[in-house]
Every structure is written in C-alpha cells, then in structure tokens.
C-alpha cells in the first residue's frame, strides 16, 4: 500500500488592528486584547478564508492584508485538493453561506476552526476563537455600566 | 430524542452483526462517534470493530447516497474501507468528518467536455478510452481523436454513460486549461477540420462561402484563437466600434490614439474620423454662418449701445477676409446693448469660450443681433461662442476664433506664417481646453491622418504647459457655467440700468463683458474681488501656453479694468490728438475707438473708417 500523500496545513493569522488593539484595548474596553484576529487556512498552496463574500480563496498571502502576522502549523492532512473542494462547497451551501456571516458567531475564525478540524482533527488556538466572547463580555459590562 | 432512538437502532444493528445482545446499550465495544458533514453533525453508535466499509454502508443508507460517494476523514486521515474504527484510533466521542461527493465529480472531467465537441453516444468514449491518452490520432473521424486526446484526466476514468449536463462554464474553463487541449487547439488543421465538420458550420458555409475561405486560412484561424484568448484585444476592438465613447474622454488623447496602433485599427478609425470630420465641418460652418467677423465688421456700430444686424457674408468676402483673420480682432460682448466691435491690425482674434456649453445659450443671446452665432450647432455639444473683450493690446493670447481655425483647417491648414500657425495651434488648444465637448469634437477633427502626427505631438506638451486641469474641472461643471452666465446677465442688466454702479463691480467683470468707460475712476475704492493687482502677469505676445495657465491670463485681463477706470480720455489723450489731427472730428467716436483698441491708433483709425463707411 502506497503511503498516502500528506499535505501541510497552515493557519495564517492576521491582526486586523495592526497593533492598535494591543495598545488601545485597555483604555477602550477595559481589558487587554492582543489583537483583532483574522485567520485563514493555507493548504494545497491556496489560502482559504470566509468573509462577507462567502468562502474565498487566493494565493497564500494574496489578500489585501498582505503577509500574515503569524503562521501556525496546524498539521498535515491526507485530504486531496479535489476532496477539499467538495468539502468547501458543501460548507458553502450550508454553514458558511455568504449571508451567514456573523461577526461574532460565524466569522472567519469559525470557518477556519471548522476547516482545521476537518483537515487535521485539531482546532485553532483558543485565543483566536475566544475573541468574540471576550469582546462581547466587555461590551456587556459597559452597557451595564451605562444603564446604571 | 431522535438521536437516542437512532442510537438504539444502530446498536441493534451492530448487535446483530456482531452478535452482541441487543438490550445492552452501552458496552465497551460500542462507541459513540460524531459524524460531521456539511455543517451538521449526528451521533452514531457503532461497535469498535466495525470496519470502515460497514460504517460506510450504514452511512450511505442514512444519508441516502451511494457508498462510493462517501469519504470519511478522521484526524486528517482518509479512512480506508478495510480499516476498523478502533484501528484508526476512533474512540468514544470522536468526530469523524464525512464528505459526500457529488455524483458528477466522481466521473472523469473529460466526459463533461463532450458536450462541447459532439453529440456522439457515450460508447465511443469507452471505446477510445483504451487509446493512448494525449496522443493525437490523425486517422479516423475527427471526433474520436479529439475525445481520446481529451481523456487525459488523471482521475480514475469511470465511464458513465449518463447525463452530460456537466458542460458548465467551469468545466469548459478547466478543460481549456488542460495543456493537452491547448496543444490540440494549436493544431489549426484539427481545429479547422473540427469546425468544418460541425453540421451547423457546414450550413453556414453553404450560405456564405467566405466562411470556408476564412477557415482555410490558418493564419486567420490562429489569430482568431489568439484574439479570443486576449480579452484586452476584444475590448479595444469594441472601442473602435464605438468612437462616440471617445467623446466622453476628450482630454485623454491616448485613448483613441492607442487604437491607431492596433493593426488594422486605423482603417476603422479612419472611417469614423472621416465621418466625424464631415459632421464637424458642416456644423461649424453652419454655426458661424461662414466667417462671422467680416459680417460684424461690415455691419458694425462703433457706439456702445447700438447693435446692428449682421449681413450675411457673401462667400467672396469670406475668402477675402480670410487672410485678415489672423490680424482681425473682434471685440464683442454678449450683452444686448453693450456691443462694440472693432478690429485691430495686430492681434488675432480672441475668443473666450464660456463654459456654458449648451447651444441653447446661443439662442438666448440671439436678441443681440451682432451675435455671430445665430444658428444652433448641429453638433449639440458645441458651446456657445462668446467673444469677449480684449482690453489689452498686449494680451495677445494668440487664440484664434474657432471659425478661423476651422477654416484654416479645412483650407489645407497651411498658414503661411509659421508663427501664426503656432499661434493658431496654441490658441486652438486653449480653446479646446476651455471646452471639453468642443475639444472632443476637435480631437477627432484634428486627427485627420495628415495632421495626426503634428497635433499629437503638440497636444501632450501643450496640455502639460497649460495645466488647466483645475479650471477645466470647474468649467466643465454645468452649474458653474450657468452661474457664470447668470453673473454675466446680471452685469449686463446692471450696465443698462445703472451704469454708474459698474465701477463697483468692475473687478467682477474681467473677461466677461465690456465695460463702458466710466468717467469716474475709483481705482482704490472699488472693491477688488480678485487679487488683480497682485498678479503682474507678463503681457504681450506670450501666448497662453507660454505664460502659464489660462486663469492667469484671465486674471491679467482683470488687471485691465483698472486701467479703464482711469479716465480713458486721459489715457488716450495723445491718440486723441493724433486722431483729431487726421481729421476724425467725432471726439466721442474717437474715444470709443481708442478705448476699444486700447490706444492703438492705427487700429482705431481703421475702426473709425469702417464705421464711417470708407
């Protein structure tokens, strides 16, 4: 039996605030946020991400954000490119439709998490997936303060 | 819960298959796995030693699909049929990802392309599948070698004689990208054979034999293929077909200039240019009624507040007047009562085209019969022509009237005087830049083949030099042009109603109208709207394109009302004396003439002579 091909899977992490969140979050939110993370999965020499336009792909580092701020090695996968495309299209029709984008509940990091688990069985680092809840908790606190 | 029932069902099944007692829901060998697919997940209870294949069978019945459509992925590894779940380390609570492949993707892509080529039955595909892939076989029907060459997909070529509705655009694109396909297409013989044997093409060829000629010419075929691949070329060709779109970008000479560089583009362009040229010529001739200036000079009145009807110029006069045009200077205001027309021997005409680029404004100025433009242009974009005052003798911006320019252009455009020629060009450019629409027309008009080179060279440099972009943008704004029009009309009204107030608005009047020489002079008290005194523009024969922006030239014009405010009698006292000595007794007329000609005695003399009918 021939050894299966293993394709590396990488996670590209971008800080959308370009460092501003780290500096301003204590003032604005009351807690320290290291960044506003946007992630994408790079596999089969393509970068896949979920945004307002649905699931999209581009050459690695080819988005407007430029090169990633950090790269996380997720693992490797046997999933072929064709199979991956099938999987993405099924996702794109179900969970990650274009209109299903929700900045807190169903965002790019949600997608990346799903895909990473499919490809490798591993999740993406928790500091990325916990970001919405962190922000929301601060906002709740703030709104509660305002209400008083 | 349905899941529990399902779990029971699975347990039952697994219990039967593995011999486990059915009432035992939870046993060490039964695991609960989560199967995730397409955004949803479900729990399944299966035995540990269930093989992947068996699991797939269950899943296929559950998800109502065929087994070969299922792909199971666990921890990034594809699960093979012969493995067992425990072998792969699938334990309780683990998640297995399931991908249900669509039916059509399980087939070779080559079959999807068949819709493009022929409507042959599928069995041919199967027959030729055994042939060497990627090898072009010249023998036989054109279809089969095509198909055999198409079967180069690396995937397992499962031949399904099923529906071929897969000829979607993405498949076509994918097929085109295939290098073997491209190699095929490069073979013009095959393409020609392929095309000619299509029944529709045969029908077409019967109807028009030229098509077969095209097909026989491999060069044409090759070029067509190249063309089809190059979207940019197609776009350019489309632009050729729509020259009117060029009008929208009059200040981008490169847009249509580039078309000429296309092979064969010149022909299409040339025709459109000729058409536009003719149209332009006709409209401009009508617009001016021939040469307006002799008409004005003939029937003119020297007094300020008079207006005389123009006599339609006979053609001979027009020709006679033609050589004088470069030296004729016409001063004209659009006001009803304030028209005075003089001629000078030195300066060329200056025509300031106001930004009001609608022909309707021409007709509104119709009541002033000295308006040379009475007939709305056929070309709707041509602006209303207003000849504005040239208070300065020195301000020879070398702008020629459009009419003279047209005539020069249509009369072989070979003015004898080299300097005048450059002046004409410069003035025309100035004119064009003031009016985008006019510029557009003139662009096409100018770009006659024999002139294209010359003007093309001059255009960029001139455009650079004038740097009128800001003003152009402002002038192109129809509301701005309307505003300026309103200002002018208001000033005219003021001039008729209360001329005494004019000095107060003199600064506003630069370039817009002709001020009657006020006897009072308040150069200091008049409110200056413009920084006129601060602008010491070099006056003189420096044309607009030399001295800088047209705005500056206009501003330098504004500097002149200051002179006007000084008593012209004082200014021109010397000239008045000389005129008196020559025998021109009409003191007032002399003064007016001198004012009009800015102290140019000889021009004033000419003016006076004409008015007296000499």
């Amino acid at each position: 039996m021939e050894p299966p091909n293993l394709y590396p899977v990488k996670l590209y992490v971008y800080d959308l605030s370009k460092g501003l969140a780290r500096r301003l979050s204590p003032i604005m939110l009351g807690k320290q946020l290291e960044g506003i993370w946007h992630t994408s999965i790079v596999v089969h020499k393509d970068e896949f991400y979920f945004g307002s336009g649905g699931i999209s792909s581009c050459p690695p580092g080819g988005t407007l954000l430029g090169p990633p701020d950090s790269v996380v090695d997720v693992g490797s996968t046997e999933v072929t490119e064709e199979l991956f495309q099938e999987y993405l299209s099924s996702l794109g029709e179900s969970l990650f439709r274009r209109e299903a984008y929700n900045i807190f509940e169903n965002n790019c990091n949600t997608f990346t998490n799903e895909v990473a688990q499919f490809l490798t069985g591993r999740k993406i680092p928790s500091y990325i997936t916990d970001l919405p809840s962190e922000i929301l908790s601060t906002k709740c606190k703030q709104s509660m303060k305002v209400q008083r | 819960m349905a899941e529990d029932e399902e779990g029971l069902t699975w347990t039952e099944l697994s219990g039967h298959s593995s011999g486990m007692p059915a009432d035992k829901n939870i046993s060490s060998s039964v695991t609960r796995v989560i199967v995730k697919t397409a955004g949803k997940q479900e729990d399944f209870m299966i035995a540990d030693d269930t093989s992947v294949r068996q699991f797939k069978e269950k899943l296929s019945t559950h998800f109502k699909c065929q087994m070969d459509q299922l792909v199971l992925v666990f921890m990034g590894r594809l699960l093979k049929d012969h493995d067992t779940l425990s072998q792969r380390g699938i334990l309780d609570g683990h998640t297995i990802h399931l991908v249900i492949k669509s039916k059509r993707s399980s087939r070779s892509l080559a079959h999807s392309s068949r819709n493009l080529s022929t409507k042959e039955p599928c069995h041919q595909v199967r027959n030729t599948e055994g042939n060497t892939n990627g090898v072009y076989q010249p023998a036989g029907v054109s279809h089969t070698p095509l198909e055999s060459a198409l079967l180069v997909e690396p995937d397992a070529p499962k031949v399904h004689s099923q529906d071929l509705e897969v000829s979607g655009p993405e498949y076509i694109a994918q097929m085109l990208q295939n290098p073997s396909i491209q190699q095929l297409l490069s073979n013009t013989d095959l393409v020609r054979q392929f095309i000619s044997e299509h029944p529709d093409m045969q029908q077409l060829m019967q109807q028009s034999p030229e098509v077969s000629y095209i097909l026989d010419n491999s060069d044409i075929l090759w070029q067509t293929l190249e063309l089809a691949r190059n979207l940019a070329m197609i776009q350019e060709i489309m632009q050729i077909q729509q020259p009117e779109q060029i009008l929208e970008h009059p200040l981008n000479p490169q847009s249509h200039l580039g078309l000429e560089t296309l092979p064969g583009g010149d022909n299409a362009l040339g025709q459109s240019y000729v058409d536009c040229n003719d149209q332009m010529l006709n409209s401009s001739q009508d617009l001016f009624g021939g040469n307006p200036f002799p008409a004005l000079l003939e029937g003119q009145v020297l007094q300020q507040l008079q207006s005389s009807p123009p006599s339609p110029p006979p053609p001979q006069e027009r020709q006679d007047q033609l050589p004088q045009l470069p030296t004729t200077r016409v001063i004209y205001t659009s006001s009803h009562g304030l028209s005075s027309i003089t001629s000078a021997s030195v300066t060329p005409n200056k025509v300031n085209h106001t930004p009001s680029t609608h022909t309707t404004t021409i007709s509104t100025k119709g009541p002033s019969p000295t308006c040379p433009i009475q007939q709305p242009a056929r070309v709707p974009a041509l602006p209303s022509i207003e000849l504005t005052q040239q208070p300065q003798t020195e301000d020879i911006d070398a702008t020629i009237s459009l009419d003279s320019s047209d005539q020069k252009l249509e009369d072989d455009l070979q003015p004898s005087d080299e300097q005048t020629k450059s002046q004409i060009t410069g003035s025309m450019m100035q004119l064009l830049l003031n009016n985008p629409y006019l510029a557009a027309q003139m662009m096409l008009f100018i770009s006659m083949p024999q002139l294209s080179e010359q003007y093309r060279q001059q255009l960029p440099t001139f455009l650079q030099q004038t740097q009128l972009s800001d003003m152009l943008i402002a002038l192109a704004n129809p509301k701005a042009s309307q505003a300026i029009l309103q200002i002018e009309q208001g000033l005219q009204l003021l001039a008729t109603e209360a001329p005494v107030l004019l000095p107060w608005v003199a600064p506003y009047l630069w370039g817009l109208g002709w001020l009657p020489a006020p006897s009072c002079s308040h150069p200091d008290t008049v409110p200056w709207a413009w920084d006129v005194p601060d602008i010491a523009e070099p006056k003189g024969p420096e044309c607009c394109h030399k001295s800088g922006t047209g705005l500056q030239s206009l501003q330098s014009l504004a500097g002149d009302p200051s002179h006007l405010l000084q008593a012209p009698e004082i200014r021109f006292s010397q000239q008045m004396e000389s005129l008196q000595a020559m025998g021109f007794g009409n003191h007032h007329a002399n003064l007016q003439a001198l004012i009009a000609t800015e102290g140019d005695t000889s021009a004033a003399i000419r003016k006076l002579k004409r008015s007296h009918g000499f």
Side-chain angles (χ1 to χ4, degrees):
Chain A
M1 181 172 119
E2 59 178 58
N5 288 330
L6 282 182
Y7 309 101
V9 180
K10 297 270 191 289
L11 179 78
Y12 278 16
V13 184
Y14 304 84
D15 179 10
L16 291 178
S17 69
K18 296 286 179 200
L20 287 178
R22 185 183 302 134
R23 278 189 244 145
L24 300 178
S25 59
I27 306 167
M28 297 178 63
L29 295 177
K31 77 157 62 170
Q32 178 70 38
L33 290 179
E34 292 302 316
I36 310 293
W37 307 116
H38 165 84
T39 55
S40 57
I41 285 282
V42 174
V43 65
H44 297 296
K45 300 192 181 56
D46 270 325
E47 181 174 349
F48 300 93
Y49 53 95
F50 177 60
S52 53
I55 301 179
S56 322
S57 76
C58 67
T63 63
L64 292 175
L65 299 169
D69 293 309
S70 64
V71 177
V72 177
D73 185 18
V74 187
S76 54
T77 186
E78 285 178 9
V79 174
T80 63
E81 189 168 358
E82 187 200 5
L83 187 65
F84 187 53
Q85 292 286 344
E86 283 267 1
Y87 170 73
L88 284 182
S89 57
S90 71
L91 276 190
E93 288 160 7
S94 59
L95 189 58
F96 294 104
R97 300 180 309 276
R98 178 183 307 186
E99 55 270 11
Y101 186 86
N102 180 303
I103 186 74
F104 288 120
E105 310 287 335
N106 199 25
N107 56 19
C108 54
N109 302 329
T110 321
F111 168 78
T112 317
N113 207 10
E114 264 314 302
V115 172
Q117 288 182 61
F118 169 77
L119 286 176
T120 63
R122 293 207 276 269
K123 295 187 177 181
I124 65 178
S126 60
Y127 69 88
I128 298 171
T129 48
D130 291 342
L131 187 64
S133 57
E134 296 242 350
I135 296 178
L136 282 174
S137 68
T138 62
K139 291 200 171 204
C140 283
K141 283 186 201 163
Q142 282 181 351
S143 60
M144 281 163 60
K145 283 182 198 167
V146 168
Q147 278 174 2
R148 277 179 214 162
Chain B
M1 276 177 55
E3 279 181 9
D4 289 341
E5 291 173 351
E6 200 165 45
L8 285 171
T9 311
W10 284 117
T11 312
E12 278 182 353
L13 283 174
S14 63
H16 283 300
S17 60
S18 61
M20 297 289 296
D23 55 351
K24 259 197 172 178
N25 290 344
I26 298 171
S27 72
S28 58
S29 63
V30 174
T31 52
R32 181 181 69 93
V33 294
I34 306 167
V35 175
K36 256 182 143 176
T37 183
K40 61 182 188 285
Q41 64 181 53
E42 296 182 18
D43 288 357
F44 288 91
M45 308 290 285
I46 48 171
D48 275 349
D49 53 357
T50 310
S51 72
V52 172
R53 183 180 174 78
Q54 289 169 332
F55 191 38
K56 274 190 177 179
E57 285 172 0
K58 289 169 186 138
L59 291 174
S60 68
T61 54
H62 180 78
F63 290 106
K64 300 182 182 49
C65 57
Q66 296 180 359
M67 271 184 58
D68 50 3
Q69 289 178 271
L70 298 176
V71 176
L72 292 172
V73 179
F74 179 69
M75 297 301 287
R77 303 290 179 266
L78 300 172
L79 300 182
K80 306 281 189 297
D81 287 355
H82 54 81
D83 293 335
T84 66
L85 298 182
S86 55
Q87 269 182 350
R88 304 300 305 205
I90 299 172
L91 300 175
D92 192 47
H94 283 178
T95 304
I96 303 177
H97 294 268
L98 169 70
V99 179
I100 303 174
K101 292 195 284 193
S102 53
K103 281 186 186 175
R104 58 187 185 185
S105 71
S106 60
R107 264 185 287 138
S108 162
L109 205 64
H111 303 279
S112 67
S113 67
R114 280 168 35 83
N115 267 354
L116 292 177
S117 53
T118 68
K119 301 180 173 66
E120 294 288 27
C122 305
H123 63 269
Q124 261 199 10
V125 178
R126 268 189 241 125
N127 292 338
T128 59
E129 193 185 337
N131 295 337
T132 318
N133 286 342
V135 173
Y136 167 52
Q137 298 177 354
V141 187
S142 65
H143 309 306
T144 30
L146 185 66
E147 290 168 7
S148 69
L150 289 175
L151 298 174
V152 291
E153 292 303 319
D155 298 335
K158 292 185 190 175
V159 179
H160 292 266
S161 60
Q162 285 175 4
D163 51 323
L164 296 172
E165 83 284 2
V166 293
S167 63
E170 63 273 8
Y171 285 101
I172 297 174
Q174 224 168 343
M175 187 191 73
L176 280 174
Q177 285 171 4
N178 196 325
S180 66
I181 302 295
Q182 287 178 354
Q183 192 184 1
L184 266 179
L185 289 177
S186 334
N187 190 339
T188 54
D189 287 335
L190 174 66
V191 173
R192 192 185 81 217
Q193 196 181 5
F194 174 61
I195 292 175
S196 57
E197 297 208 10
H198 199 276
D200 288 344
M201 277 302 289
Q202 284 172 348
Q203 196 180 3
L204 178 67
M205 282 199 285
Q206 282 166 9
Q207 291 172 0
S208 56
E210 295 89 15
V211 177
S212 61
Y213 170 70
I214 291 178
L215 288 179
D216 285 339
N217 192 341
S218 63
D219 289 334
I220 294 180
L221 271 181
W222 178 250
Q223 283 184 9
T224 311
L225 284 174
E226 288 293 320
L227 186 69
R229 288 182 204 161
N230 197 342
L231 276 180
M233 298 249 308
I234 292 178
Q235 283 176 0
E236 287 212 53
I237 288 179
M238 282 174 62
Q239 281 185 8
I240 293 176
Q241 300 301 324
Q242 298 170 357
E244 60 268 13
Q245 286 185 359
I246 299 172
L247 295 180
E248 297 172 3
H249 307 279
L251 295 179
N252 187 7
Q254 290 82 13
S255 62
H256 67 277
L257 290 177
L259 286 172
E260 294 177 354
T261 63
L262 267 188
D266 232 357
N267 302 331
L269 271 181
Q271 187 55 41
S272 65
Y273 283 160
V274 166
D275 297 337
C276 291
N277 288 343
D278 295 338
Q279 193 187 15
M280 183 75 168
L281 278 174
N282 296 335
S283 60
S284 57
Q285 286 180 22
D286 294 330
L287 183 69
F288 289 97
N291 187 347
F293 301 119
L296 296 172
L297 295 174
E298 292 298 320
Q300 67 184 355
V301 186
L302 279 181
Q303 279 91 11
Q304 287 180 346
L305 300 178
Q306 285 187 15
S307 56
S308 57
S311 53
Q316 300 91 351
E317 267 191 18
R318 173 176 137 199
Q319 291 302 322
D320 294 338
Q321 297 294 338
L322 187 57
Q324 289 188 21
L325 273 178
T327 60
T328 303
R329 186 169 121 205
V330 176
I331 300 167
Y332 166 73
T333 69
S334 61
S335 72
H336 302 206
L338 303 177
S339 62
S340 87
I341 298 152
T342 66
S343 63
S345 61
V346 180
T347 62
N349 294 324
K350 170 156 176 109
V351 177
N352 274 350
H353 287 244
T354 65
S356 50
T357 58
H358 304 288
T359 57
T360 53
T361 57
I362 298 175
S363 45
T364 60
K365 305 216 177 295
S368 161
T370 55
C371 175
I373 304 98
Q374 294 186 351
Q375 182 177 351
R378 253 188 242 142
V379 179
L382 276 179
S384 66
I385 312 294
E386 282 191 358
L387 313 177
T388 63
Q389 175 194 356
Q390 274 282 6
Q392 312 174 26
T393 329
E394 300 85 5
D395 187 23
I396 303 169
D397 291 14
T399 56
I400 299 278
S401 70
L402 180 66
D403 173 68
S404 68
S405 310
D406 280 348
Q407 288 180 353
K408 290 205 178 295
L409 283 175
E410 58 183 302
D411 295 336
D412 188 31
L413 282 163
Q414 301 282 338
S416 51
D417 192 346
E418 195 60 30
Q419 190 191 4
T420 352
K421 179 180 176 184
S422 66
Q423 280 180 354
I424 292 167
T425 313
S427 63
M428 244 178 54
M429 294 304 131
Q430 172 66 24
L431 205 128
L432 292 175
L433 288 167
N434 280 330
N435 299 282
Y437 297 109
L438 183 62
Q441 303 287 333
M442 291 298 290
M443 286 294 214
L444 298 176
F445 181 73
I446 290 169
S447 302
M448 295 197 303
Q450 60 266 28
L451 303 166
S452 57
E453 292 304 319
Q454 173 188 357
Y455 286 104
R456 215 181 298 165
Q457 287 159 10
Q458 288 173 349
L459 263 178
T461 52
F462 184 64
L463 284 174
Q464 281 174 358
Q465 286 166 353
T466 55
Q467 295 169 3
L468 274 177
S469 55
D470 295 334
M471 206 170 110
L472 276 168
I473 293 168
L475 289 179
N477 186 0
K479 291 195 178 168
S481 56
Q482 281 180 12
I484 295 179
L485 197 62
Q486 285 177 2
I487 293 172
E488 187 171 351
Q489 289 170 352
L491 288 171
Q492 293 162 14
L493 198 59
L494 189 64
T496 53
E497 296 291 325
V500 69
L501 289 175
L502 280 176
W504 288 92
V505 295
Y508 304 94
L509 284 181
W510 57 266
L512 288 183
W514 160 250
L515 268 185
S519 52
C520 57
S521 62
H522 305 277
D524 299 328
T525 57
V526 171
W528 291 105
W530 306 91
D531 294 336
V532 168
D534 301 337
I535 297 169
E537 278 304 306
K539 302 161 191 173
E542 293 113 9
C543 311
C544 262
H545 57 266
K546 285 183 194 169
S547 66
T549 66
L551 188 59
Q552 290 175 353
S553 72
L554 288 172
Q555 283 171 344
S556 60
L557 272 184
D560 276 301
S562 63
H563 296 287
L564 283 176
L565 291 178
Q566 300 168 9
E569 296 179 12
I570 303 171
R571 273 178 79 198
F572 302 133
S573 55
Q574 279 186 343
Q575 290 91 334
M576 288 291 289
E577 287 174 13
S578 50
L579 283 178
Q580 293 270 355
M582 283 184 222
F584 293 98
N586 191 343
H587 178 86
H588 186 60
N590 292 351
L591 187 61
Q592 295 309 315
L594 280 171
I595 291 169
T597 62
E598 280 301 302
D600 186 353
T601 316
S602 45
I605 290 170
R606 214 174 294 135
K607 194 171 159 72
L608 291 167
K609 275 163 61 177
R610 284 205 196 87
S611 72
H612 291 169
F614 284 162

